Amino acid sequence: MRIPRHVTPYTAFYSSIGGGFLKKLTGSKNCFFSTYSEEPELKDLMEYLDSLKNHEKSGVPKGAGTDSEDGFDLGRMRRLTDQLGNPISKFKAIHIAGTKGKGSTAAFLSNILRAEGYSVGCYTSPHITTIRERMSVGRSGQSVSAEALSCLFHRIRHVLDKAMQLENGCITHFEVFTAMAFTLFAQENVDIAIIEAGLGGARDATNIICSSGLITSIITTIGEEHMAALGGSLESIAVAKSGIIKHGRPLILGGPFLPHIERIIRDKALSMCSPVVSSSDSGIKSTIKGLSMLNGRPCQSCDIILEVGRDFPMSIELLDVKLCMIGRHQLQNAVTAACTALCLRDQGWRMSDESLRSGLENTCLVGRSQFLTSKDAEALGLPGTTILLDGAHTKESAKALVETIQMTFPEARLALVVAMANDKDHLAFARQFLSGRKLDAIFLTEAEVAGGKTRITSASLLRDHWIQASKELDINILHDGMAEYRKLLEDQSIDSMMASEHRTVLAAEDSLAVSMKFANQILKRRARNQSGILVVTGSLHIVSSVLDSLHK
């Protein structure tokens, strides 16, 4: 079978064995995944935002997140919000920074506060299917409605236009949307707002919260992500993220941290006269007792016992908490949120043990260890397949995902479909998966990042990194650069592809749809009577691509 140069081998393979099957599978654009259209009410807002500089789409400049001359201009953000009436002064806030765990901690904490009856504003990023996900307001936890967001935009449009003119058009997508979130929270008179930093902390657009408006700051973890933008080292990243610490206001640490990294953060807190509570202290005990199924999805039963007696005499015992957010890392995020809730209680905020339990148990997030339903799998054309979506994109999050899979399905066969942005450590990510359980298939593919192609890593480059990692770890793989692989493919027989079952099949395929179908074929054939899991990971953007298709 001769394969035209512009056609990937798997596309040709499916065409040959399926006739019109591929067209049905992928549609006229050779991919059934495409960007989910925003609601019509948001057309004007989205056109406005799309006209602005978007660093999520184009990438962040070197040093932009550092507290230096290269850093983002916080003065611009302050001038913008001043023209909007300084909305940040009209509510109390909790500010969260960290490499991983920010969104989960924000979700846990928001639900705890809502369970207590507070009106909560929550601002996070990025989103999965609609930009509305970045803002929630009130007691329900629902994303802001398209109508409310559109009304807000049209009400302040003249202010944004004036600010844009004064700043010579330099205001960014993230700055405008952050200012809109603060304005919405002030407009809705929220009791408290949970604000997640977008990049770093010191020069992030969210870091205009002053000490008088801050209840507490949280730093979840420090890891090697956005290295160039944050100074190039773990130490510089810690300095950047500790920029959210404000004078005299408490700091909650997630962790665990490397000792010298924690020292950097604690020294900054000491210089700001900020008391510190660490959710990794010896007086804090958290254990996963077991797993069970809840509404068709796994949950973990946990004990959380907090005894904090240094700066804050606080304690709570929560036994048999059912967390829908599974994994040891999610338990750590839950503990961090619980420590923060106790810190609020110490400051006079109403906070019952029952609200802590209810908030933790009722938290789940799209794209974080998310198992699709059987109905979803069928809608994707993969009936009977267990599909796990997780936006892991660092070596730390890859390690956490591997551990979560091992805990939930220790005997299952595994196949991966991976797409990543070009500013991630692809080799370290690959090492984490390859050094874990044996994988039956790995398909490296592509997904747009923030709706654009600038930050996409090509499937072929990802494959090269995974081949390199497999050689370093002495793992025997069968990859699509090998003559043996090509011969098996040209035989047009899936059975021939399964012949060497002790080897992991590794391939690059630019179509996400074909990647999922082909990986699933291999997984099903090899699993036979065993359970099998198709894992889609590498970024929240590939998760978004999969979920977007379910809206069609």
Side-chain angles (χ1 to χ4, degrees):
M1 178 178 67
R2 288 179 58 246
I3 301 173
R5 292 179 61 188
H6 66 282
V7 177
T8 63
Y10 319 103
T11 301
F13 176 65
Y14 272 113
S15 296
S16 66
I17 65 172
F21 172 65
L22 179 66
K23 185 175 181 181
K24 180 181 178 183
L25 165 65
T26 61
S28 59
K29 293 185 179 180
N30 196 31
C31 183
F32 65 59
F33 298 110
S34 60
T35 303
Y36 176 57
S37 299
E38 293 284 352
E39 294 87 340
E41 299 96 321
L42 297 182
K43 181 176 181 293
D44 291 345
L45 171 61
M46 297 312 299
E47 287 180 351
Y48 188 90
L49 291 174
D50 287 344
S51 71
L52 306 179
K53 182 72 174 179
N54 185 350
H55 293 297
E56 290 178 36
K57 183 181 293 187
S58 63
V60 184
K62 186 176 181 180
T66 59
D67 199 6
S68 68
E69 291 183 0
D70 296 324
F72 288 130
D73 183 4
L74 267 186
R76 184 171 63 220
M77 186 65 186
R78 291 191 181 97
R79 290 188 292 273
L80 171 59
T81 52
D82 281 347
Q83 291 177 67
L84 289 167
N86 194 21
I88 197 71
S89 66
K90 296 177 172 62
F91 53 83
K92 297 295 184 181
I94 294 172
H95 201 188
I96 307 178
T99 303
K100 301 299 298 179
K102 298 188 297 295
S104 298
T105 302
F108 279 127
L109 191 53
S110 296
N111 283 328
I112 290 170
L113 288 161
R114 291 189 189 103
E116 190 60 47
Y118 291 110
S119 175
V120 180
C122 186
Y123 179 61
T124 61
S125 59
H127 61 273
I128 302 293
T129 59
T130 169
I131 199 167
R132 296 189 295 105
E133 296 168 22
R134 298 187 180 210
M135 296 184 206
S136 61
V137 62
R139 292 181 172 83
S140 69
Q142 296 297 313
S143 300
V144 60
S145 70
E147 181 182 8
L149 198 54
S150 177
C151 287
L152 172 64
F153 169 67
H154 286 106
R155 181 169 65 82
I156 66 172
R157 171 74 183 264
H158 69 287
V159 180
L160 297 176
D161 288 342
K162 180 182 176 182
M164 197 68 66
Q165 188 175 23
L166 292 172
E167 300 293 346
N168 297 315
C170 291
I171 302 176
T172 66
H173 180 293
F174 187 73
E175 287 168 344
V176 166
F177 208 68
T178 300
M180 288 183 65
F182 292 168
T183 304
L184 178 69
F185 297 160
Q187 172 187 299
E188 296 299 318
N189 196 29
V190 299
D191 297 311
I192 189 170
I194 315 297
I195 309 295
E196 177 190 336
L199 176 77
R203 290 296 186 94
D204 186 73
T206 61
N207 199 30
I208 59 171
I209 306 168
C210 61
S211 56
S212 61
L214 184 71
I215 300 170
T216 184
S217 52
I218 303 171
I219 299 178
T220 55
T221 58
I222 301 293
E224 296 177 353
E225 188 179 15
H226 303 300
M227 292 283 281
L230 296 176
S233 70
L234 214 55
E235 292 77 11
S236 66
I237 291 173
V239 170
K241 293 186 187 298
S242 65
I244 69 167
I245 301 171
K246 298 297 188 296
H247 191 273
R249 306 313 302 149
L251 168 67
I252 309 297
L253 292 179
F257 301 93
L258 293 172
H260 74 289
I261 295 300
E262 183 166 343
R263 186 74 269 153
I264 290 172
I265 300 172
R266 284 185 176 273
D267 285 348
K268 176 61 181 289
L270 182 63
S271 72
M272 302 295 283
C273 300
S274 297
V276 178
V277 174
S278 173
S279 62
S280 298
D281 275 354
S282 58
I284 295 174
K285 308 293 183 184
S286 59
T287 56
I288 299 173
K289 300 193 298 182
L291 292 167
S292 60
M293 299 301 291
L294 184 64
N295 299 324
R297 292 187 174 95
C299 71
Q300 56 189 18
S301 177
C302 307
D303 287 345
I304 299 175
I305 302 171
L306 310 183
E307 292 283 350
V308 182
R310 222 178 269 178
D311 293 310
F312 298 94
M314 307 181 302
S315 65
I316 191 172
E317 183 175 285
L318 298 172
L319 304 180
D320 198 28
V321 179
K322 301 281 192 303
L323 293 183
C324 297
M325 304 273 279
I326 59 175
R328 177 68 214 178
H329 60 300
Q330 293 295 2
L331 175 56
Q332 181 62 48
N333 293 330
V335 170
T336 302
C339 283
T340 307
L342 291 185
C343 182
L344 265 67
R345 179 193 284 176
D346 184 74
Q347 295 182 57
W349 290 75
R350 186 180 67 253
M351 196 69 60
S352 68
D353 291 5
E354 292 76 17
S355 293
L356 265 82
R357 175 184 292 275
S358 175
L360 295 177
E361 291 189 334
N362 287 301
T363 297
C364 59
L365 275 181
V366 172
R368 280 77 162 184
S369 299
Q370 178 185 358
F371 286 90
L372 295 186
T373 65
S374 56
K375 184 178 179 181
D376 290 337
E378 189 170 347
L380 292 172
L382 304 171
T385 301
T386 300
I387 303 173
L388 172 61
L389 307 182
D390 193 280
H393 54 269
T394 67
K395 65 179 181 182
E396 293 86 1
S397 55
K399 182 175 185 289
L401 178 55
V402 169
E403 291 173 350
T404 298
I405 294 170
Q406 181 62 34
M407 181 179 69
T408 50
F409 292 95
E411 304 298 329
R413 308 290 291 250
L414 298 178
L416 298 186
V417 176
V418 180
M420 300 186 74
N422 61 13
D423 57 351
K424 307 306 176 188
D425 191 340
H426 309 126
L427 189 59
F429 188 87
R431 288 193 196 105
Q432 288 296 331
F433 276 100
L434 290 171
S435 59
R437 291 235 304 278
K438 180 183 179 296
L439 303 170
D440 285 293
I442 306 162
F443 272 72
L444 294 317
T445 187
E446 298 170 8
E448 289 187 352
V449 178
K453 299 182 182 300
T454 307
R455 292 178 59 209
I456 288 176
T457 303
S458 70
S460 59
L461 180 58
L462 276 179
R463 176 192 56 201
D464 293 343
H465 286 300
W466 282 72
I467 291 173
Q468 180 182 342
S470 69
K471 289 178 179 177
E472 291 177 4
L473 297 169
D474 195 27
I475 293 173
N476 190 8
I477 65 171
L478 178 66
H479 66 78
D480 59 357
M482 302 170 68
E484 178 185 355
Y485 184 100
R486 294 281 172 162
K487 185 177 186 308
L488 289 173
L489 196 63
E490 290 169 5
D491 286 343
Q492 300 184 27
S493 168
I494 290 179
D495 286 329
S496 65
M497 187 68 76
M498 306 307 139
S500 198
E501 290 206 2
H502 63 286
R503 302 171 76 177
T504 298
V505 176
L506 180 96
E509 165 56 58
D510 58 7
S511 166
L512 176 53
V514 173
S515 295
M516 291 183 69
K517 287 288 184 180
F518 201 67
N520 189 55
Q521 288 273 10
I522 295 171
L523 182 65
K524 291 278 190 184
R525 190 61 60 92
R526 287 192 175 182
R528 295 191 180 94
N529 295 325
Q530 292 177 264
S531 61
I533 303 176
L534 181 63
V535 183
V536 181
T537 188
S539 75
L540 285 172
H541 304 287
I542 188 174
V543 169
S544 174
S545 294
V546 174
L547 293 176
D548 283 349
S549 68
L550 295 174
H551 287 278
K552 297 188 184 306

